[in-house]
Amino acid sequence: MSEQPAPSPAPAPTSGSSSAGSSSADAPSSGAGKSLVPGSPLPAGIAAALKRDGAGLVAAIVQQFDSNEVLMLGWMDDEALNRTMTTGRVTFYSRSRQEYWRKGDTSGHVQWVKSVALDCDGDALLVRVDQVGAACHTGTRTCFDGRAFDVVAGPAN
């Protein structure tokens, strides 16, 4: 399933590396949209807005664009996000294999990118896709099919 092997992503910048209170819209630019995060291929505003974990990764929730069905969760570093934003196909970073992989390269179950958004905290991405075939490596449509817990549901206020 891998597209191309790669070393582990660089550690996340510390919270002091970007201005407090800056939004991605007003993040300073180093000219021509180049990133202020060393080694990041992302535009400066996006790179500055991301809050990466200790391994330099951000959670990416994948959702079917027309039905809003939640398909799966994967992990992206700056390079995987850049590839996702610039190729039209979703690329993830595999924590276990420590390499990039593009959904569908071996299974044919491609995820065509429709949009990418960053949550209000900067620590999660919402990648809306047109999913071809199963999203889960187990062969189910979503990674959540048949895996619900019994819970007490709250009122529908």
Side-chain angles (χ1 to χ4, degrees):
M1 288 197 330
S2 69
E3 175 184 333
Q4 160 183 25
S8 189
T14 61
S15 60
S17 65
S18 65
S19 304
S22 290
S23 73
S24 60
D26 63 15
S29 175
S30 60
K34 294 202 179 214
S35 178
L36 295 177
V37 176
S40 177
L42 295 170
I46 295 172
L50 288 174
K51 289 184 185 169
R52 302 156 189 84
D53 69 8
L57 303 172
V58 176
I61 302 160
V62 181
Q63 181 181 45
Q64 176 64 31
F65 83 101
D66 53 359
S67 68
N68 295 325
E69 181 179 32
V70 177
L71 301 172
M72 61 175 287
L73 176 122
W75 296 93
M76 293 184 179
D77 65 358
D78 289 31
E79 178 61 30
L81 177 55
N82 184 61
R83 291 181 190 188
T84 297
M85 293 172 54
T86 60
T87 66
R89 296 267 310 272
V90 180
T91 298
F92 297 103
Y93 186 81
S94 170
R95 297 176 300 168
S96 60
R97 294 187 314 266
Q98 296 192 351
E99 65 184 18
Y100 296 102
W101 61 279
R102 196 167 63 168
K103 191 67 159 172
D105 277 354
T106 58
S107 68
H109 299 165
V110 177
Q111 293 175 339
W112 296 107
V113 177
K114 295 297 184 180
S115 66
V116 178
L118 185 62
D119 80 337
C120 61
D121 295 321
D123 60 2
L125 297 161
L126 177 62
V127 183
R128 294 177 51 90
V129 303
D130 190 7
Q131 176 71 49
V132 176
C136 187
H137 70 278
T138 65
T140 58
R141 169 73 181 164
T142 84
C143 290
F144 303 97
D145 286 349
R147 295 171 182 90
F149 297 135
D150 290 330
V151 299
V152 175
N157 296 353

PDB file of all heavy atoms in Angstrom, residues 108-122:
ATOM      1  N   GLY A 108      -7.059  -0.459  -5.067  1.00  0.00           N
ATOM      2  CA  GLY A 108      -7.952   0.161  -6.039  1.00  0.00           C
ATOM      3  C   GLY A 108      -9.053   0.968  -5.381  1.00  0.00           C
ATOM      4  O   GLY A 108      -9.860   1.597  -6.060  1.00  0.00           O
ATOM      5  N   HIS A 109      -9.101   0.985  -4.053  1.00  0.00           N
ATOM      6  CA  HIS A 109     -10.122   1.714  -3.302  1.00  0.00           C
ATOM      7  C   HIS A 109      -9.636   3.147  -3.050  1.00  0.00           C
ATOM      8  O   HIS A 109      -9.268   3.518  -1.942  1.00  0.00           O
ATOM      9  CB  HIS A 109     -10.444   1.007  -1.995  1.00  0.00           C
ATOM     10  CG  HIS A 109     -10.989  -0.368  -2.211  1.00  0.00           C
ATOM     11  ND1 HIS A 109     -11.063  -1.289  -1.204  1.00  0.00           N
ATOM     12  CD2 HIS A 109     -11.480  -0.988  -3.309  1.00  0.00           C
ATOM     13  CE1 HIS A 109     -11.579  -2.417  -1.672  1.00  0.00           C
ATOM     14  NE2 HIS A 109     -11.831  -2.246  -2.953  1.00  0.00           N
ATOM     15  N   VAL A 110      -9.684   3.928  -4.101  1.00  0.00           N
ATOM     16  CA  VAL A 110      -9.104   5.272  -4.129  1.00  0.00           C
ATOM     17  C   VAL A 110      -9.965   6.277  -3.384  1.00  0.00           C
ATOM     18  O   VAL A 110     -11.188   6.183  -3.380  1.00  0.00           O
ATOM     19  CB  VAL A 110      -8.936   5.725  -5.599  1.00  0.00           C
ATOM     20  CG1 VAL A 110      -8.414   7.139  -5.699  1.00  0.00           C
ATOM     21  CG2 VAL A 110      -8.023   4.760  -6.344  1.00  0.00           C
ATOM     22  N   GLN A 111      -9.305   7.252  -2.760  1.00  0.00           N
ATOM     23  CA  GLN A 111      -9.986   8.395  -2.164  1.00  0.00           C
ATOM     24  C   GLN A 111      -9.630   9.629  -2.987  1.00  0.00           C
ATOM     25  O   GLN A 111      -8.479  10.077  -2.983  1.00  0.00           O
ATOM     26  CB  GLN A 111      -9.549   8.590  -0.709  1.00  0.00           C
ATOM     27  CG  GLN A 111     -10.016   7.468   0.187  1.00  0.00           C
ATOM     28  CD  GLN A 111      -9.503   7.571   1.602  1.00  0.00           C
ATOM     29  OE1 GLN A 111      -8.510   8.230   1.880  1.00  0.00           O
ATOM     30  NE2 GLN A 111     -10.180   6.905   2.517  1.00  0.00           N
ATOM     31  N   TRP A 112     -10.631  10.167  -3.704  1.00  0.00           N
ATOM     32  CA  TRP A 112     -10.443  11.382  -4.495  1.00  0.00           C
ATOM     33  C   TRP A 112     -10.765  12.579  -3.621  1.00  0.00           C
ATOM     34  O   TRP A 112     -11.864  12.692  -3.079  1.00  0.00           O
ATOM     35  CB  TRP A 112     -11.350  11.370  -5.721  1.00  0.00           C
ATOM     36  CG  TRP A 112     -11.036  10.258  -6.675  1.00  0.00           C
ATOM     37  CD1 TRP A 112     -11.765   9.122  -6.885  1.00  0.00           C
ATOM     38  CD2 TRP A 112      -9.902  10.170  -7.537  1.00  0.00           C
ATOM     39  NE1 TRP A 112     -11.150   8.334  -7.826  1.00  0.00           N
ATOM     40  CE2 TRP A 112     -10.008   8.953  -8.252  1.00  0.00           C
ATOM     41  CE3 TRP A 112      -8.809  10.999  -7.791  1.00  0.00           C
ATOM     42  CZ2 TRP A 112      -9.057   8.550  -9.189  1.00  0.00           C
ATOM     43  CZ3 TRP A 112      -7.876  10.593  -8.730  1.00  0.00           C
ATOM     44  CH2 TRP A 112      -7.999   9.391  -9.413  1.00  0.00           C
ATOM     45  N   VAL A 113      -9.824  13.486  -3.454  1.00  0.00           N
ATOM     46  CA  VAL A 113      -9.976  14.639  -2.576  1.00  0.00           C
ATOM     47  C   VAL A 113     -11.015  15.605  -3.128  1.00  0.00           C
ATOM     48  O   VAL A 113     -10.983  15.955  -4.310  1.00  0.00           O
ATOM     49  CB  VAL A 113      -8.624  15.376  -2.401  1.00  0.00           C
ATOM     50  CG1 VAL A 113      -8.789  16.622  -1.543  1.00  0.00           C
ATOM     51  CG2 VAL A 113      -7.579  14.443  -1.816  1.00  0.00           C
ATOM     52  N   LYS A 114     -11.918  16.030  -2.258  1.00  0.00           N
ATOM     53  CA  LYS A 114     -12.896  17.064  -2.593  1.00  0.00           C
ATOM     54  C   LYS A 114     -12.598  18.355  -1.828  1.00  0.00           C
ATOM     55  O   LYS A 114     -12.764  19.436  -2.358  1.00  0.00           O
ATOM     56  CB  LYS A 114     -14.326  16.596  -2.293  1.00  0.00           C
ATOM     57  CG  LYS A 114     -14.762  15.425  -3.157  1.00  0.00           C
ATOM     58  CD  LYS A 114     -14.795  15.825  -4.612  1.00  0.00           C
ATOM     59  CE  LYS A 114     -15.321  14.703  -5.491  1.00  0.00           C
ATOM     60  NZ  LYS A 114     -15.368  15.070  -6.900  1.00  0.00           N
ATOM     61  N   SER A 115     -12.158  18.233  -0.561  1.00  0.00           N
ATOM     62  CA  SER A 115     -11.785  19.413   0.226  1.00  0.00           C
ATOM     63  C   SER A 115     -10.977  18.967   1.441  1.00  0.00           C
ATOM     64  O   SER A 115     -11.025  17.801   1.842  1.00  0.00           O
ATOM     65  CB  SER A 115     -13.015  20.197   0.688  1.00  0.00           C
ATOM     66  OG  SER A 115     -13.786  19.439   1.602  1.00  0.00           O
ATOM     67  N   VAL A 116     -10.236  19.917   2.007  1.00  0.00           N
ATOM     68  CA  VAL A 116      -9.473  19.683   3.235  1.00  0.00           C
ATOM     69  C   VAL A 116      -9.700  20.898   4.132  1.00  0.00           C
ATOM     70  O   VAL A 116      -9.613  22.041   3.666  1.00  0.00           O
ATOM     71  CB  VAL A 116      -7.962  19.511   2.969  1.00  0.00           C
ATOM     72  CG1 VAL A 116      -7.207  19.308   4.276  1.00  0.00           C
ATOM     73  CG2 VAL A 116      -7.699  18.344   2.025  1.00  0.00           C
ATOM     74  N   ALA A 117     -10.001  20.648   5.412  1.00  0.00           N
ATOM     75  CA  ALA A 117     -10.206  21.734   6.376  1.00  0.00           C
ATOM     76  C   ALA A 117      -9.466  21.400   7.664  1.00  0.00           C
ATOM     77  O   ALA A 117      -9.266  20.232   8.002  1.00  0.00           O
ATOM     78  CB  ALA A 117     -11.699  21.916   6.664  1.00  0.00           C
ATOM     79  N   LEU A 118      -9.078  22.447   8.378  1.00  0.00           N
ATOM     80  CA  LEU A 118      -8.391  22.318   9.661  1.00  0.00           C
ATOM     81  C   LEU A 118      -9.367  22.700  10.758  1.00  0.00           C
ATOM     82  O   LEU A 118     -10.089  23.701  10.626  1.00  0.00           O
ATOM     83  CB  LEU A 118      -7.170  23.248   9.679  1.00  0.00           C
ATOM     84  CG  LEU A 118      -6.244  23.194  10.882  1.00  0.00           C
ATOM     85  CD1 LEU A 118      -5.620  21.807  11.025  1.00  0.00           C
ATOM     86  CD2 LEU A 118      -5.159  24.245  10.745  1.00  0.00           C
ATOM     87  N   ASP A 119      -9.408  21.935  11.846  1.00  0.00           N
ATOM     88  CA  ASP A 119     -10.327  22.271  12.930  1.00  0.00           C
ATOM     89  C   ASP A 119      -9.864  23.518  13.670  1.00  0.00           C
ATOM     90  O   ASP A 119      -8.764  24.023  13.444  1.00  0.00           O
ATOM     91  CB  ASP A 119     -10.534  21.084  13.878  1.00  0.00           C
ATOM     92  CG  ASP A 119      -9.435  20.885  14.890  1.00  0.00           C
ATOM     93  OD1 ASP A 119      -8.291  21.351  14.667  1.00  0.00           O
ATOM     94  OD2 ASP A 119      -9.693  20.246  15.916  1.00  0.00           O
ATOM     95  N   CYS A 120     -10.722  24.023  14.569  1.00  0.00           N
ATOM     96  CA  CYS A 120     -10.472  25.289  15.258  1.00  0.00           C
ATOM     97  C   CYS A 120      -9.226  25.267  16.133  1.00  0.00           C
ATOM     98  O   CYS A 120      -8.635  26.313  16.389  1.00  0.00           O
ATOM     99  CB  CYS A 120     -11.695  25.696  16.078  1.00  0.00           C
ATOM    100  SG  CYS A 120     -12.135  24.491  17.359  1.00  0.00           S
ATOM    101  N   ASP A 121      -8.815  24.097  16.610  1.00  0.00           N
ATOM    102  CA  ASP A 121      -7.621  23.982  17.445  1.00  0.00           C
ATOM    103  C   ASP A 121      -6.355  23.734  16.645  1.00  0.00           C
ATOM    104  O   ASP A 121      -5.254  23.772  17.185  1.00  0.00           O
ATOM    105  CB  ASP A 121      -7.778  22.837  18.457  1.00  0.00           C
ATOM    106  CG  ASP A 121      -8.885  23.095  19.453  1.00  0.00           C
ATOM    107  OD1 ASP A 121      -9.036  24.251  19.889  1.00  0.00           O
ATOM    108  OD2 ASP A 121      -9.601  22.142  19.789  1.00  0.00           O
ATOM    109  N   GLY A 122      -6.492  23.418  15.373  1.00  0.00           N
ATOM    110  CA  GLY A 122      -5.339  23.160  14.520  1.00  0.00           C
ATOM    111  C   GLY A 122      -4.743  21.777  14.672  1.00  0.00           C
ATOM    112  O   GLY A 122      -3.689  21.498  14.116  1.00  0.00           O
TER     113      GLY A 122
END
